[in-house]
Amino acid sequence: MIRGIDVSSHQSTFSTDGLSFVFIKATEGRSYINPKMTAQAKRARDGGCVVGFYHFLWPGNIAAQAAYFVSKAPEKAGDLLAVDWERTGEGTAASNAEKDRFIREVKRLRPSHRVLLYANRDFWLNRDTTSYAGDGLWIADYVTAGKPRIQADWTIHQYTSTPLDKNVADFADEDELRDWAAP
């Protein structure tokens, strides 16, 4: 397995030492864009990491959210894209159908990019009804790295949020991840 992190505007700086990938929050809903995204992507790329961007999904206006996300996330070959499906700050959440529709729309708009689903264990086990995760499941379950408590195949496992979101990916090495990321 290889190691990575995910960051949002809350992380001004981070080290890429020992990391193979960095996911960066790009957008949320139809109006928020991470003001630090460009600098964070540069730091990750300068550190030699595979870069991914994610969108925090809100319920409603799914096609508009997908269009907003792909209009703001850089379009570089080999970058990964993901949807973050969880409760919003208002306690709402997109439905399973909306999650599926968002992934399909992003894949339609960016057919040369891998699109993943980020979900916590509760959403995956109790809200998901289709097991549709696009090109890969990024599961959050704060247990031993690489041992999430689910039966499904997973691509990335977020295993802690302390001191920041740490992840492992189910690839032998960074080259395997790069090959997979550029279909």
Side-chain angles (χ1 to χ4, degrees), residues 74-137:
E75 189 169 354
K76 183 174 182 198
D79 282 353
L80 299 168
L81 301 175
V83 59
D84 181 347
W85 183 43
E86 58 184 296
R87 289 196 188 285
T88 68
E90 296 178 355
T92 62
S95 69
N96 185 83
E98 289 174 317
K99 173 265 296 181
D100 289 356
R101 198 168 343 128
F102 182 88
I103 294 169
R104 286 187 173 96
E105 183 64 8
V106 171
K107 287 181 68 56
R108 185 186 73 76
L109 294 169
R110 288 268 185 95
S112 62
H113 287 79
R114 297 280 187 178
V115 181
L116 296 96
L117 168 66
Y118 170 93
N120 62 43
R121 182 174 180 261
D122 176 60
F123 267 57
W124 183 251
L125 295 177
N126 300 310
R127 287 185 161 260
D128 182 81
T129 58
T130 59
S131 298
Y132 182 63
D135 295 310
L137 176 60

Short mmCIF file of all heavy atoms in Angstrom, two decimals, residues 74-137:
data_model
loop_
_atom_site.label_atom_id
_atom_site.label_comp_id
_atom_site.label_asym_id
_atom_site.label_seq_id
_atom_site.Cartn_x
_atom_site.Cartn_y
_atom_site.Cartn_z
N PRO A 74 -8.59 21.61 -11.77
CA PRO A 74 -7.68 21.58 -12.91
C PRO A 74 -7.89 20.34 -13.78
O PRO A 74 -8.26 19.28 -13.28
CB PRO A 74 -6.29 21.55 -12.27
CG PRO A 74 -6.50 22.21 -10.94
CD PRO A 74 -7.87 21.78 -10.51
N GLU A 75 -7.68 20.50 -15.06
CA GLU A 75 -7.87 19.39 -16.00
C GLU A 75 -6.50 18.96 -16.51
O GLU A 75 -6.04 19.36 -17.57
CB GLU A 75 -8.76 19.81 -17.17
CG GLU A 75 -9.15 18.64 -18.03
CD GLU A 75 -10.25 18.99 -19.03
OE1 GLU A 75 -10.79 20.09 -18.98
OE2 GLU A 75 -10.55 18.12 -19.85
N LYS A 76 -5.83 18.14 -15.71
CA LYS A 76 -4.51 17.64 -16.06
C LYS A 76 -4.58 16.12 -16.15
O LYS A 76 -5.13 15.46 -15.27
CB LYS A 76 -3.49 18.08 -15.01
CG LYS A 76 -2.09 17.66 -15.36
CD LYS A 76 -1.08 18.22 -14.40
CE LYS A 76 0.27 17.76 -14.90
NZ LYS A 76 1.32 17.80 -14.00
N ALA A 77 -4.01 15.58 -17.20
CA ALA A 77 -4.01 14.12 -17.37
C ALA A 77 -3.39 13.45 -16.14
O ALA A 77 -2.37 13.91 -15.61
CB ALA A 77 -3.22 13.74 -18.62
N GLY A 78 -4.04 12.40 -15.67
CA GLY A 78 -3.54 11.66 -14.53
C GLY A 78 -4.04 12.16 -13.19
O GLY A 78 -3.82 11.50 -12.17
N ASP A 79 -4.70 13.32 -13.16
CA ASP A 79 -5.32 13.78 -11.91
C ASP A 79 -6.55 12.93 -11.63
O ASP A 79 -7.25 12.49 -12.55
CB ASP A 79 -5.74 15.24 -12.00
CG ASP A 79 -4.58 16.22 -11.84
OD1 ASP A 79 -3.45 15.79 -11.53
OD2 ASP A 79 -4.82 17.43 -12.03
N LEU A 80 -6.84 12.73 -10.37
CA LEU A 80 -8.01 11.98 -9.94
C LEU A 80 -9.10 12.95 -9.50
O LEU A 80 -8.80 14.06 -9.05
CB LEU A 80 -7.64 11.06 -8.78
CG LEU A 80 -6.58 10.01 -9.09
CD1 LEU A 80 -6.08 9.35 -7.82
CD2 LEU A 80 -7.14 8.97 -10.06
N LEU A 81 -10.34 12.53 -9.62
CA LEU A 81 -11.48 13.32 -9.17
C LEU A 81 -12.30 12.47 -8.21
O LEU A 81 -12.36 11.25 -8.36
CB LEU A 81 -12.34 13.74 -10.36
CG LEU A 81 -11.63 14.56 -11.43
CD1 LEU A 81 -12.56 14.80 -12.62
CD2 LEU A 81 -11.12 15.88 -10.88
N ALA A 82 -12.93 13.13 -7.24
CA ALA A 82 -13.73 12.39 -6.26
C ALA A 82 -14.89 13.24 -5.79
O ALA A 82 -14.85 14.46 -5.82
CB ALA A 82 -12.86 11.99 -5.06
N VAL A 83 -15.92 12.55 -5.34
CA VAL A 83 -17.06 13.20 -4.69
C VAL A 83 -17.05 12.79 -3.23
O VAL A 83 -16.89 11.62 -2.90
CB VAL A 83 -18.40 12.86 -5.37
CG1 VAL A 83 -18.66 11.37 -5.38
CG2 VAL A 83 -19.55 13.60 -4.70
N ASP A 84 -17.20 13.78 -2.36
CA ASP A 84 -17.25 13.59 -0.91
C ASP A 84 -18.73 13.55 -0.53
O ASP A 84 -19.42 14.56 -0.55
CB ASP A 84 -16.52 14.75 -0.24
CG ASP A 84 -16.47 14.65 1.27
OD1 ASP A 84 -17.20 13.83 1.86
OD2 ASP A 84 -15.72 15.43 1.88
N TRP A 85 -19.21 12.36 -0.17
CA TRP A 85 -20.63 12.14 0.15
C TRP A 85 -20.77 11.92 1.64
O TRP A 85 -20.43 10.86 2.16
CB TRP A 85 -21.14 10.94 -0.65
CG TRP A 85 -22.58 10.61 -0.49
CD1 TRP A 85 -23.64 11.47 -0.47
CD2 TRP A 85 -23.14 9.29 -0.36
NE1 TRP A 85 -24.81 10.78 -0.35
CE2 TRP A 85 -24.54 9.44 -0.29
CE3 TRP A 85 -22.59 8.01 -0.33
CZ2 TRP A 85 -25.40 8.36 -0.16
CZ3 TRP A 85 -23.44 6.94 -0.21
CH2 TRP A 85 -24.83 7.11 -0.13
N GLU A 86 -21.22 12.95 2.33
CA GLU A 86 -21.44 12.87 3.77
C GLU A 86 -22.42 13.95 4.18
O GLU A 86 -22.93 14.68 3.32
CB GLU A 86 -20.11 12.98 4.54
CG GLU A 86 -19.34 14.26 4.26
CD GLU A 86 -17.99 14.29 4.96
OE1 GLU A 86 -17.99 14.29 6.20
OE2 GLU A 86 -16.97 14.33 4.27
N ARG A 87 -22.66 14.11 5.45
CA ARG A 87 -23.58 15.15 5.93
C ARG A 87 -22.96 16.53 5.75
O ARG A 87 -21.77 16.71 5.98
CB ARG A 87 -23.89 14.96 7.41
CG ARG A 87 -24.75 13.77 7.67
CD ARG A 87 -25.37 13.82 9.07
NE ARG A 87 -26.04 12.58 9.34
CZ ARG A 87 -27.19 12.21 8.82
NH1 ARG A 87 -27.81 13.01 8.01
NH2 ARG A 87 -27.72 11.04 9.11
N THR A 88 -23.81 17.48 5.35
CA THR A 88 -23.36 18.86 5.22
C THR A 88 -23.33 19.50 6.60
O THR A 88 -23.80 18.92 7.58
CB THR A 88 -24.33 19.67 4.33
OG1 THR A 88 -25.59 19.79 5.02
CG2 THR A 88 -24.52 19.01 2.97
N GLY A 89 -22.82 20.71 6.68
CA GLY A 89 -22.83 21.45 7.94
C GLY A 89 -24.23 21.73 8.45
O GLY A 89 -24.42 22.01 9.63
N GLU A 90 -25.20 21.67 7.55
CA GLU A 90 -26.61 21.88 7.93
C GLU A 90 -27.30 20.58 8.32
O GLU A 90 -28.49 20.57 8.61
CB GLU A 90 -27.36 22.55 6.78
CG GLU A 90 -26.83 23.93 6.47
CD GLU A 90 -27.54 24.58 5.29
OE1 GLU A 90 -28.39 23.92 4.63
OE2 GLU A 90 -27.24 25.74 5.02
N GLY A 91 -26.57 19.45 8.27
CA GLY A 91 -27.14 18.17 8.65
C GLY A 91 -27.88 17.45 7.55
O GLY A 91 -28.47 16.40 7.78
N THR A 92 -27.86 18.00 6.34
CA THR A 92 -28.51 17.35 5.21
C THR A 92 -27.48 16.48 4.48
O THR A 92 -26.28 16.56 4.76
CB THR A 92 -29.08 18.39 4.22
OG1 THR A 92 -27.99 19.18 3.70
CG2 THR A 92 -30.09 19.29 4.90
N ALA A 93 -27.96 15.69 3.53
CA ALA A 93 -27.06 14.87 2.73
C ALA A 93 -27.73 14.55 1.40
O ALA A 93 -28.95 14.39 1.33
CB ALA A 93 -26.72 13.56 3.46
N ALA A 94 -26.92 14.47 0.37
CA ALA A 94 -27.43 14.04 -0.93
C ALA A 94 -27.91 12.60 -0.81
O ALA A 94 -27.38 11.82 -0.03
CB ALA A 94 -26.33 14.15 -1.98
N SER A 95 -28.90 12.27 -1.59
CA SER A 95 -29.42 10.91 -1.59
C SER A 95 -28.46 9.98 -2.33
O SER A 95 -27.55 10.43 -3.03
CB SER A 95 -30.80 10.87 -2.27
OG SER A 95 -30.65 11.11 -3.67
N ASN A 96 -28.70 8.69 -2.21
CA ASN A 96 -27.91 7.72 -2.95
C ASN A 96 -28.05 7.97 -4.46
O ASN A 96 -27.06 7.94 -5.19
CB ASN A 96 -28.37 6.30 -2.61
CG ASN A 96 -27.50 5.25 -3.27
OD1 ASN A 96 -26.45 4.92 -2.75
ND2 ASN A 96 -27.92 4.75 -4.42
N ALA A 97 -29.25 8.23 -4.93
CA ALA A 97 -29.47 8.50 -6.36
C ALA A 97 -28.71 9.75 -6.80
O ALA A 97 -28.14 9.78 -7.90
CB ALA A 97 -30.96 8.64 -6.65
N GLU A 98 -28.69 10.77 -5.96
CA GLU A 98 -27.95 12.00 -6.31
C GLU A 98 -26.45 11.73 -6.36
O GLU A 98 -25.76 12.21 -7.26
CB GLU A 98 -28.26 13.11 -5.30
CG GLU A 98 -29.66 13.66 -5.44
CD GLU A 98 -30.01 14.66 -4.37
OE1 GLU A 98 -29.69 14.41 -3.17
OE2 GLU A 98 -30.62 15.68 -4.71
N LYS A 99 -25.96 10.94 -5.42
CA LYS A 99 -24.54 10.56 -5.43
C LYS A 99 -24.19 9.84 -6.72
O LYS A 99 -23.22 10.17 -7.40
CB LYS A 99 -24.25 9.69 -4.20
CG LYS A 99 -22.89 9.05 -4.12
CD LYS A 99 -22.81 7.62 -4.65
CE LYS A 99 -23.61 6.62 -3.91
NZ LYS A 99 -23.45 5.25 -4.49
N ASP A 100 -25.00 8.87 -7.11
CA ASP A 100 -24.77 8.12 -8.34
C ASP A 100 -24.81 9.04 -9.56
O ASP A 100 -23.97 8.95 -10.46
CB ASP A 100 -25.80 7.00 -8.51
CG ASP A 100 -25.61 5.85 -7.53
OD1 ASP A 100 -24.65 5.85 -6.75
OD2 ASP A 100 -26.46 4.93 -7.56
N ARG A 101 -25.81 9.93 -9.60
CA ARG A 101 -25.96 10.85 -10.73
C ARG A 101 -24.76 11.78 -10.84
O ARG A 101 -24.28 12.07 -11.93
CB ARG A 101 -27.26 11.65 -10.57
CG ARG A 101 -27.73 12.29 -11.84
CD ARG A 101 -29.17 12.83 -11.76
NE ARG A 101 -29.94 12.32 -10.64
CZ ARG A 101 -30.59 13.08 -9.76
NH1 ARG A 101 -30.60 14.39 -9.87
NH2 ARG A 101 -31.25 12.53 -8.77
N PHE A 102 -24.26 12.27 -9.70
CA PHE A 102 -23.10 13.17 -9.70
C PHE A 102 -21.88 12.45 -10.29
O PHE A 102 -21.19 13.00 -11.15
CB PHE A 102 -22.80 13.66 -8.29
CG PHE A 102 -21.65 14.63 -8.24
CD1 PHE A 102 -21.87 15.99 -8.42
CD2 PHE A 102 -20.35 14.20 -8.02
CE1 PHE A 102 -20.82 16.90 -8.39
CE2 PHE A 102 -19.29 15.08 -7.99
CZ PHE A 102 -19.53 16.44 -8.17
N ILE A 103 -21.60 11.26 -9.82
CA ILE A 103 -20.44 10.51 -10.33
C ILE A 103 -20.56 10.31 -11.84
O ILE A 103 -19.61 10.54 -12.59
CB ILE A 103 -20.28 9.15 -9.61
CG1 ILE A 103 -19.94 9.36 -8.13
CG2 ILE A 103 -19.21 8.29 -10.29
CD1 ILE A 103 -20.03 8.10 -7.28
N ARG A 104 -21.73 9.88 -12.28
CA ARG A 104 -21.93 9.65 -13.72
C ARG A 104 -21.77 10.93 -14.53
O ARG A 104 -21.20 10.91 -15.63
CB ARG A 104 -23.30 9.01 -13.97
CG ARG A 104 -23.33 7.56 -13.54
CD ARG A 104 -24.64 6.85 -13.93
NE ARG A 104 -24.53 5.45 -13.65
CZ ARG A 104 -24.97 4.86 -12.53
NH1 ARG A 104 -25.57 5.58 -11.60
NH2 ARG A 104 -24.82 3.57 -12.35
N GLU A 105 -22.25 12.05 -14.01
CA GLU A 105 -22.13 13.32 -14.73
C GLU A 105 -20.68 13.78 -14.79
O GLU A 105 -20.22 14.25 -15.83
CB GLU A 105 -23.02 14.39 -14.08
CG GLU A 105 -23.03 15.72 -14.78
CD GLU A 105 -23.61 15.70 -16.19
OE1 GLU A 105 -24.17 14.67 -16.64
OE2 GLU A 105 -23.49 16.74 -16.87
N VAL A 106 -19.94 13.64 -13.71
CA VAL A 106 -18.52 14.01 -13.74
C VAL A 106 -17.77 13.11 -14.72
O VAL A 106 -16.94 13.59 -15.50
CB VAL A 106 -17.90 13.97 -12.32
CG1 VAL A 106 -16.38 14.13 -12.38
CG2 VAL A 106 -18.52 15.04 -11.44
N LYS A 107 -18.08 11.82 -14.73
CA LYS A 107 -17.43 10.91 -15.68
C LYS A 107 -17.78 11.29 -17.12
O LYS A 107 -16.95 11.19 -18.01
CB LYS A 107 -17.82 9.46 -15.41
CG LYS A 107 -17.16 8.90 -14.14
CD LYS A 107 -17.52 7.47 -13.87
CE LYS A 107 -16.97 6.50 -14.86
NZ LYS A 107 -15.53 6.50 -15.07
N ARG A 108 -19.01 11.77 -17.35
CA ARG A 108 -19.40 12.21 -18.69
C ARG A 108 -18.64 13.48 -19.08
O ARG A 108 -18.16 13.61 -20.21
CB ARG A 108 -20.91 12.47 -18.74
CG ARG A 108 -21.42 12.82 -20.14
CD ARG A 108 -22.88 13.23 -20.13
NE ARG A 108 -23.10 14.54 -19.54
CZ ARG A 108 -22.84 15.69 -20.16
NH1 ARG A 108 -22.34 15.71 -21.38
NH2 ARG A 108 -23.08 16.84 -19.55
N LEU A 109 -18.51 14.40 -18.14
CA LEU A 109 -17.83 15.67 -18.41
C LEU A 109 -16.32 15.53 -18.50
O LEU A 109 -15.66 16.31 -19.20
CB LEU A 109 -18.19 16.71 -17.33
CG LEU A 109 -19.66 17.13 -17.30
CD1 LEU A 109 -19.95 17.94 -16.04
CD2 LEU A 109 -20.02 17.93 -18.55
N ARG A 110 -15.75 14.58 -17.79
CA ARG A 110 -14.30 14.34 -17.78
C ARG A 110 -14.03 12.86 -18.03
O ARG A 110 -13.57 12.13 -17.14
CB ARG A 110 -13.69 14.74 -16.44
CG ARG A 110 -13.62 16.22 -16.16
CD ARG A 110 -12.28 16.79 -16.61
NE ARG A 110 -12.15 18.17 -16.24
CZ ARG A 110 -11.55 18.63 -15.15
NH1 ARG A 110 -10.99 17.80 -14.30
NH2 ARG A 110 -11.50 19.92 -14.92
N PRO A 111 -14.31 12.37 -19.23
CA PRO A 111 -14.20 10.93 -19.50
C PRO A 111 -12.79 10.36 -19.39
O PRO A 111 -12.64 9.15 -19.22
CB PRO A 111 -14.75 10.79 -20.92
CG PRO A 111 -14.59 12.13 -21.53
CD PRO A 111 -14.74 13.12 -20.41
N SER A 112 -11.78 11.19 -19.44
CA SER A 112 -10.41 10.68 -19.35
C SER A 112 -9.86 10.69 -17.93
O SER A 112 -8.68 10.44 -17.71
CB SER A 112 -9.49 11.47 -20.28
OG SER A 112 -9.45 12.82 -19.87
N HIS A 113 -10.71 10.97 -16.94
CA HIS A 113 -10.28 10.99 -15.54
C HIS A 113 -10.99 9.91 -14.74
O HIS A 113 -12.17 9.63 -14.97
CB HIS A 113 -10.58 12.36 -14.91
CG HIS A 113 -9.68 13.43 -15.37
ND1 HIS A 113 -9.83 14.07 -16.56
CD2 HIS A 113 -8.59 13.97 -14.79
CE1 HIS A 113 -8.88 14.98 -16.71
NE2 HIS A 113 -8.11 14.93 -15.65
N ARG A 114 -10.28 9.34 -13.78
CA ARG A 114 -10.89 8.41 -12.83
C ARG A 114 -11.70 9.24 -11.83
O ARG A 114 -11.26 10.29 -11.39
CB ARG A 114 -9.83 7.62 -12.06
CG ARG A 114 -8.97 6.73 -12.93
CD ARG A 114 -9.68 5.46 -13.26
NE ARG A 114 -8.76 4.55 -13.95
CZ ARG A 114 -9.10 3.36 -14.32
NH1 ARG A 114 -10.30 2.90 -14.09
NH2 ARG A 114 -8.23 2.60 -14.94
N VAL A 115 -12.89 8.74 -11.49
CA VAL A 115 -13.76 9.42 -10.54
C VAL A 115 -14.08 8.44 -9.42
O VAL A 115 -14.57 7.33 -9.67
CB VAL A 115 -15.06 9.90 -11.22
CG1 VAL A 115 -15.94 10.63 -10.21
CG2 VAL A 115 -14.75 10.80 -12.41
N LEU A 116 -13.80 8.85 -8.19
CA LEU A 116 -13.98 8.00 -7.02
C LEU A 116 -15.09 8.54 -6.12
O LEU A 116 -15.42 9.73 -6.17
CB LEU A 116 -12.70 7.93 -6.20
CG LEU A 116 -11.50 7.29 -6.86
CD1 LEU A 116 -10.59 8.35 -7.46
CD2 LEU A 116 -10.73 6.48 -5.85
N LEU A 117 -15.60 7.67 -5.28
CA LEU A 117 -16.56 8.04 -4.24
C LEU A 117 -15.86 8.00 -2.89
O LEU A 117 -15.28 6.98 -2.52
CB LEU A 117 -17.73 7.06 -4.22
CG LEU A 117 -18.65 7.18 -2.99
CD1 LEU A 117 -19.39 8.52 -3.00
CD2 LEU A 117 -19.62 6.01 -2.92
N TYR A 118 -15.93 9.12 -2.16
CA TYR A 118 -15.49 9.15 -0.77
C TYR A 118 -16.75 9.04 0.10
O TYR A 118 -17.70 9.81 -0.07
CB TYR A 118 -14.77 10.47 -0.44
CG TYR A 118 -14.52 10.65 1.03
CD1 TYR A 118 -13.32 10.25 1.61
CD2 TYR A 118 -15.48 11.21 1.87
CE1 TYR A 118 -13.09 10.40 2.97
CE2 TYR A 118 -15.26 11.37 3.23
CZ TYR A 118 -14.07 10.96 3.77
OH TYR A 118 -13.84 11.10 5.11
N ALA A 119 -16.76 8.08 0.99
CA ALA A 119 -17.87 7.92 1.93
C ALA A 119 -17.33 7.35 3.23
O ALA A 119 -16.38 6.58 3.24
CB ALA A 119 -18.93 6.97 1.36
N ASN A 120 -17.97 7.74 4.32
CA ASN A 120 -17.60 7.12 5.59
C ASN A 120 -18.30 5.77 5.70
O ASN A 120 -19.20 5.45 4.91
CB ASN A 120 -17.89 8.05 6.77
CG ASN A 120 -19.36 8.38 6.92
OD1 ASN A 120 -20.24 7.52 6.80
ND2 ASN A 120 -19.65 9.65 7.19
N ARG A 121 -17.87 4.98 6.63
CA ARG A 121 -18.39 3.62 6.78
C ARG A 121 -19.91 3.63 6.97
O ARG A 121 -20.62 2.80 6.39
CB ARG A 121 -17.69 2.94 7.95
CG ARG A 121 -18.13 1.51 8.18
CD ARG A 121 -17.27 0.86 9.28
NE ARG A 121 -17.68 -0.50 9.51
CZ ARG A 121 -18.49 -0.89 10.50
NH1 ARG A 121 -18.95 0.01 11.35
NH2 ARG A 121 -18.81 -2.15 10.64
N ASP A 122 -20.44 4.55 7.77
CA ASP A 122 -21.87 4.61 8.01
C ASP A 122 -22.64 4.86 6.71
O ASP A 122 -23.62 4.18 6.43
CB ASP A 122 -22.20 5.71 9.03
CG ASP A 122 -23.69 5.86 9.22
OD1 ASP A 122 -24.35 4.88 9.64
OD2 ASP A 122 -24.21 6.95 8.92
N PHE A 123 -22.20 5.82 5.90
CA PHE A 123 -22.89 6.09 4.64
C PHE A 123 -22.80 4.88 3.73
O PHE A 123 -23.78 4.52 3.07
CB PHE A 123 -22.29 7.33 3.95
CG PHE A 123 -23.02 8.60 4.29
CD1 PHE A 123 -23.17 9.01 5.60
CD2 PHE A 123 -23.54 9.39 3.29
CE1 PHE A 123 -23.84 10.18 5.92
CE2 PHE A 123 -24.21 10.56 3.59
CZ PHE A 123 -24.36 10.96 4.91
N TRP A 124 -21.64 4.25 3.65
CA TRP A 124 -21.48 3.11 2.75
C TRP A 124 -22.37 1.94 3.17
O TRP A 124 -22.99 1.29 2.33
CB TRP A 124 -20.01 2.69 2.68
CG TRP A 124 -19.79 1.58 1.71
CD1 TRP A 124 -19.48 0.28 2.01
CD2 TRP A 124 -19.89 1.64 0.29
NE1 TRP A 124 -19.38 -0.46 0.85
CE2 TRP A 124 -19.63 0.36 -0.22
CE3 TRP A 124 -20.18 2.66 -0.62
CZ2 TRP A 124 -19.63 0.06 -1.58
CZ3 TRP A 124 -20.18 2.37 -1.97
CH2 TRP A 124 -19.91 1.08 -2.44
N LEU A 125 -22.43 1.67 4.46
CA LEU A 125 -23.20 0.52 4.93
C LEU A 125 -24.69 0.80 5.09
O LEU A 125 -25.50 -0.12 4.92
CB LEU A 125 -22.64 0.03 6.28
CG LEU A 125 -21.21 -0.52 6.26
CD1 LEU A 125 -20.78 -0.90 7.66
CD2 LEU A 125 -21.10 -1.70 5.31
N ASN A 126 -25.06 2.04 5.40
CA ASN A 126 -26.45 2.31 5.77
C ASN A 126 -27.21 3.25 4.84
O ASN A 126 -28.44 3.30 4.91
CB ASN A 126 -26.51 2.86 7.20
CG ASN A 126 -25.93 1.87 8.18
OD1 ASN A 126 -26.28 0.70 8.16
ND2 ASN A 126 -25.02 2.33 9.02
N ARG A 127 -26.54 4.01 3.99
CA ARG A 127 -27.22 4.92 3.07
C ARG A 127 -27.10 4.46 1.63
O ARG A 127 -27.96 4.73 0.81
CB ARG A 127 -26.67 6.33 3.18
CG ARG A 127 -27.11 7.03 4.43
CD ARG A 127 -26.62 8.47 4.40
NE ARG A 127 -27.38 9.26 5.33
CZ ARG A 127 -28.39 10.05 5.00
NH1 ARG A 127 -28.75 10.17 3.75
NH2 ARG A 127 -29.04 10.73 5.91
N ASP A 128 -25.97 3.84 1.30
CA ASP A 128 -25.75 3.39 -0.07
C ASP A 128 -26.66 2.20 -0.38
O ASP A 128 -26.77 1.28 0.43
CB ASP A 128 -24.29 2.99 -0.28
CG ASP A 128 -24.04 2.57 -1.71
OD1 ASP A 128 -23.87 3.47 -2.55
OD2 ASP A 128 -24.07 1.36 -1.98
N THR A 129 -27.31 2.24 -1.54
CA THR A 129 -28.19 1.14 -1.94
C THR A 129 -27.77 0.53 -3.27
O THR A 129 -28.33 -0.49 -3.67
CB THR A 129 -29.65 1.61 -2.06
OG1 THR A 129 -29.72 2.67 -3.02
CG2 THR A 129 -30.18 2.08 -0.71
N THR A 130 -26.78 1.11 -3.94
CA THR A 130 -26.38 0.62 -5.26
C THR A 130 -24.95 0.11 -5.32
O THR A 130 -24.57 -0.54 -6.28
CB THR A 130 -26.51 1.74 -6.31
OG1 THR A 130 -25.67 2.84 -5.91
CG2 THR A 130 -27.95 2.20 -6.47
N SER A 131 -24.15 0.42 -4.32
CA SER A 131 -22.72 0.09 -4.30
C SER A 131 -21.98 0.70 -5.49
O SER A 131 -20.94 0.21 -5.90
CB SER A 131 -22.50 -1.43 -4.27
OG SER A 131 -23.04 -1.99 -3.11
N TYR A 132 -22.53 1.79 -6.04
CA TYR A 132 -21.87 2.46 -7.16
C TYR A 132 -20.86 3.47 -6.60
O TYR A 132 -21.22 4.37 -5.86
CB TYR A 132 -22.88 3.16 -8.06
CG TYR A 132 -22.23 3.83 -9.25
CD1 TYR A 132 -21.55 3.08 -10.21
CD2 TYR A 132 -22.28 5.20 -9.41
CE1 TYR A 132 -20.94 3.68 -11.29
CE2 TYR A 132 -21.68 5.81 -10.49
CZ TYR A 132 -21.01 5.05 -11.43
OH TYR A 132 -20.39 5.66 -12.49
N ALA A 133 -19.61 3.28 -6.97
CA ALA A 133 -18.53 4.15 -6.49
C ALA A 133 -17.70 4.67 -7.65
O ALA A 133 -16.54 5.04 -7.46
CB ALA A 133 -17.66 3.39 -5.50
N GLY A 134 -18.26 4.68 -8.85
CA GLY A 134 -17.49 5.15 -10.00
C GLY A 134 -16.33 4.22 -10.26
O GLY A 134 -16.50 3.01 -10.37
N ASP A 135 -15.13 4.80 -10.30
CA ASP A 135 -13.94 4.01 -10.58
C ASP A 135 -13.27 3.45 -9.33
O ASP A 135 -12.30 2.69 -9.44
CB ASP A 135 -12.92 4.87 -11.35
CG ASP A 135 -13.44 5.26 -12.71
OD1 ASP A 135 -13.90 4.37 -13.45
OD2 ASP A 135 -13.40 6.47 -13.04
N GLY A 136 -13.76 3.82 -8.16
CA GLY A 136 -13.15 3.29 -6.95
C GLY A 136 -13.77 3.86 -5.70
O GLY A 136 -14.25 5.00 -5.68
N LEU A 137 -13.76 3.09 -4.64
CA LEU A 137 -14.30 3.50 -3.35
C LEU A 137 -13.17 4.01 -2.46
O LEU A 137 -12.16 3.32 -2.26
CB LEU A 137 -15.00 2.32 -2.67
CG LEU A 137 -15.52 2.58 -1.26
CD1 LEU A 137 -16.56 3.70 -1.24
CD2 LEU A 137 -16.10 1.27 -0.68
#
